[in-house]
Amino acid sequence: GAGVSQTPSNKVTEKGKYVELRCDPISGHTALYWYRQSLGQGPEFLIYFQGTGAADDSGLPNDRFFAVRPEGSVSTLKIQRTERGDSAVYLCASSFGTGQAEAFFGQGTRLTVV
Amino acid sequence: ELKVEQNPLFLSMQEGKNYTIYCNYSTTSDRLYWYRQDPGKSLESLFVLLSNGAVKQEGRLMASLDTKARLSTLHITAAVHDLSATYFCAGTGTALIFGKGTTLSVSS
């Protein structure tokens, strides 16, 4: 596709529920990143994939968060037992090559946990 | 672990005047990026600075990089309202590590 696509654009869920956020990167981009951005803050790194494998998952805040990229393209960020503090905009980015290449961001998914 | 600090966090600018945003980073970063974010929107790439002494300019914005001082600056020349947005710098660890952002507001 022309750019990084994220779905849904908005998600409202009840506390304790499970959610999945999807990212469709730019075609041919091998690297994919997930970030979380809270109001008034910079994007906070969560996890980075190179191909199908997670090259760095050090930013995942706890074991309720998990991400997969089974075929090296689309990625899904999964959050179990959501908490109100998980409310944020979740941004996905992709780049061609290593983690130091220029990253292009999607429009984000705004997650609200009520 | 790379840490990135920006200052100021907020900048109220008058149209026509010049301003500078500073970005300090804590450890070696091979590249330095500047992004722009408009309210409710995603991040738009502005500049990629690849080496010490690199300078890039686009319109009223000019970015520079001093890797020895671990400092990048974003200079705004003759501010106009269209530049009102939040600007982030990001260094490179395994992935991009962002500062907290500088929110610019331009008034006439």
Side-chain angles (χ1 to χ4, degrees), chain A residues 33 35 37 40-43 45 48 56 91 99-103 105-107, chain B residues 30-31 33 35 37 42-43 45 48 88 92-100:
Chain A
Y33 319 80
Y35 288 84
Q37 187 175 24
Q41 299 294 315
F45 170 71
Y48 153 52
D56 184 352
L91 294 166
Q100 300 197 358
E102 184 177 5
F105 283 79
Q107 294 298 310
Chain B
D30 287 349
R31 301 179 180 193
Y33 295 82
Y35 284 84
Q37 187 175 40
S42 192
L43 288 91
S45 178
V48 180
F88 294 95
T92 52
T94 308
L96 294 182
I97 304 300
F98 286 83
K100 290 188 175 182

